[in-house]
């Protein structure tokens, strides 16, 4: 089989990257090579656990190139092509662990949508070159569905502009890999309509 080439644009723990690494270690993939990582919200780990910060720093250390948010924006068209691209955005406003009751200010939710648009610009740029990722994953806390349905619909509208077939599901990462976060997450998983990548056969098998 082929080695999966991976890139990520993250705020928080890169769960899809961890799952792919686990699949490679378990022999489900021939291998996984991360060619770039970007921190979508510098300082996002300041309120997280020291263990989570350490894990994310170790993941980024494996990437060939690490961008900060502004650098990735500047390098959008030049960032390497990948088979799988994953992204997320700041999850505090939608998180069930957020007990503030306010549910997120309008400005914060608009910033979340702008983060999605910014990360998907990488996909748009690669699509213009006909080298888009075979699979795109966007994920966030499952509170997005119940606390901010309007934001959820705006994200779906944004994703539907891309040349992908999309599936939305709520998954718990620990069901698929040895990862340090058992919280349920909403996953938006897009399969390119004109490209087959290394995971195509696994997809057909029901992965």
């Amino acid at each position: 089989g082929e080695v999966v080439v991976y890139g990520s644009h993250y705020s928080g723990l890169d769960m899809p990257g961890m799952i792919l690494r686990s699949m490679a270690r378990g022999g489900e993939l021939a291998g996984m090579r991360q060619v770039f990582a970007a921190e979508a919200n510098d300082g996002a780990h300041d309120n997280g656990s020291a263990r989570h910060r350490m894990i994310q720093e170790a993941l980024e250390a494996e990437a060939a190139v690490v961008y900060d948010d502004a650098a990735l924006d500047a390098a959008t068209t030049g960032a390497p092509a990948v088979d799988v691209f994953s992204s997320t955005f700041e999850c505090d406003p939608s998180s069930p662990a957020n007990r503030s009751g306010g549910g997120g200010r309008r400005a914060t939710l608009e910033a979340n949508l702008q983060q999605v648009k910014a990360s998907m610009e990488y996909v748009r740029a690669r699509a213009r070159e006909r080298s888009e990722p075979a699979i795109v994953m966007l994920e966030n806390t499952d509170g997005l569905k119940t606390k901010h349905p309007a934001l959820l619909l705006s994200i779906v509208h944004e994703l539907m502009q891309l040349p992908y077939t999309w599936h939305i599901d709520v998954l718990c990462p620990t069901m698929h890999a040895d990862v340090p976060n058992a919280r349920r997450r909403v996953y938006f998983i897009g399969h390119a309509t004109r490209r087959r990548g290394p995971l195509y056969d696994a997809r057909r098998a029901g992965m």
Side-chain angles (χ1 to χ4, degrees), residues 11-63:
S11 170
L13 276 178
D14 180 356
M15 288 294 175
M18 298 182 74
I19 291 171
L20 288 174
R21 284 178 174 83
S22 179
M23 291 173 67
R25 288 195 300 269
E28 298 172 76
L29 297 175
M32 180 271 209
R33 180 167 61 90
Q34 183 160 5
V35 294
F36 72 86
E39 176 51 66
N41 184 18
D42 196 25
H45 313 303
D46 289 349
N47 295 323
S49 71
R51 180 171 180 242
H52 283 196
R53 288 197 300 273
M54 179 182 69
I55 291 169
Q56 186 62 22
E57 288 168 2
L59 293 175
E60 292 178 355
E62 293 185 21

Side-chain angles (χ1 to χ4, degrees), residues 22-165:
S22 179
M23 291 173 67
R25 288 195 300 269
E28 298 172 76
L29 297 175
M32 180 271 209
R33 180 167 61 90
Q34 183 160 5
V35 294
F36 72 86
E39 176 51 66
N41 184 18
D42 196 25
H45 313 303
D46 289 349
N47 295 323
S49 71
R51 180 171 180 242
H52 283 196
R53 288 197 300 273
M54 179 182 69
I55 291 169
Q56 186 62 22
E57 288 168 2
L59 293 175
E60 292 178 355
E62 293 185 21
V65 179
V66 178
Y67 300 100
D68 62 25
D69 207 17
L72 180 64
D73 289 345
T76 293
T77 56
V82 296
D83 299 310
V84 180
F85 174 71
S86 71
S87 179
T88 192
F89 51 92
E90 179 59 42
C91 67
D92 281 354
S94 303
S95 175
N98 183 352
R99 307 296 185 185
S100 63
R105 297 186 301 274
R106 181 181 298 273
T108 302
L109 299 179
E110 177 60 27
N112 286 163
L113 182 58
Q114 292 306 314
Q115 283 181 320
V116 172
K117 290 182 176 181
S119 62
M120 291 304 112
E121 185 54 36
Y122 165 78
V123 180
R124 293 181 190 277
R126 299 313 303 184
R128 288 192 291 269
E129 300 292 328
R130 301 190 69 84
S131 59
E132 65 269 26
I135 295 176
V136 172
M137 287 186 280
L138 178 71
E139 59 99 3
N140 207 270
T141 170
D142 68 338
L144 182 64
K145 295 197 314 176
T146 55
K147 298 180 73 172
H148 302 299
L151 175 59
L152 176 66
L153 289 175
S154 295
I155 290 172
V156 169
H157 177 76
E158 177 68 22
L159 297 179
M160 292 298 290
Q161 311 307 308
L162 300 169
Y164 287 78
T165 299

